[in-house]
Amino acid sequence: MSNTKLFIRKVLIVIGSIALVTSLGFSGVMYIGNRSLERTNKEQSDKLAKRDKQIDQLNRTKTDDESQLASMRDQLHSLQPDYDTLKQSVGAFATQAAACETIKQSLNIKS
């Protein structure tokens, strides 16, 4: 019976050793996986923070562009009467130039 107890003890020691080595190996793999996930998490957090800054900058740029657009629209509305007057003056000048050219041709005047 002593041999049987000794054999059972050795088998239990081997099974315990295998379980311990397996546990250590699994713990190592899990540790490496955890470190990899932490690194990935930090990289994604940094990217997210960078994107948040870019969004804030784009929002500021958008606000500036909108105010500049409103200013340009105001300028356009204030210059519209001058443009209409200039357009009418150029049209009248073109009509007058055409009339002068017609008179010049009817009188056979060479320039």
Side-chain angles (χ1 to χ4, degrees):
M1 184 89 80
S2 153
N3 281 339
T4 308
K5 285 184 180 181
L6 186 61
F7 179 73
I8 292 175
R9 181 178 281 177
K10 286 182 181 181
V11 167
L12 290 175
I13 289 174
V14 168
I15 291 173
S17 298
I18 291 173
L20 179 65
V21 169
T22 304
S23 173
L24 288 174
F26 184 72
S27 295
V29 168
M30 295 307 285
Y31 176 77
I32 291 171
N34 188 29
R35 297 282 292 169
S36 174
L37 288 174
E38 286 176 355
R39 202 172 317 119
T40 303
N41 188 18
K42 182 172 179 355
E43 289 172 1
Q44 289 179 352
S45 296
D46 292 344
K47 285 180 183 178
L48 187 59
K50 183 179 176 183
R51 299 262 163 80
D52 285 343
K53 288 179 184 177
Q54 288 175 343
I55 288 171
D56 289 341
Q57 183 179 5
L58 288 172
N59 283 335
R60 273 187 256 118
T61 303
K62 178 186 171 216
T63 304
D64 293 344
D65 289 346
E66 286 174 345
S67 64
Q68 186 177 12
L69 178 63
S71 172
M72 289 181 168
R73 282 185 179 146
D74 291 342
Q75 276 183 328
L76 178 65
H77 289 303
S78 68
L79 293 175
Q80 190 68 37
D82 291 339
Y83 172 74
D84 290 338
T85 303
L86 180 63
K87 185 177 173 183
Q88 290 171 356
S89 297
V90 169
F93 178 75
T95 303
Q96 189 177 21
C100 288
E101 186 64 30
T102 303
I103 293 171
K104 184 176 166 184
Q105 286 178 357
S106 66
L107 296 175
N108 289 327
I109 298 176
K110 302 279 180 177
S111 333

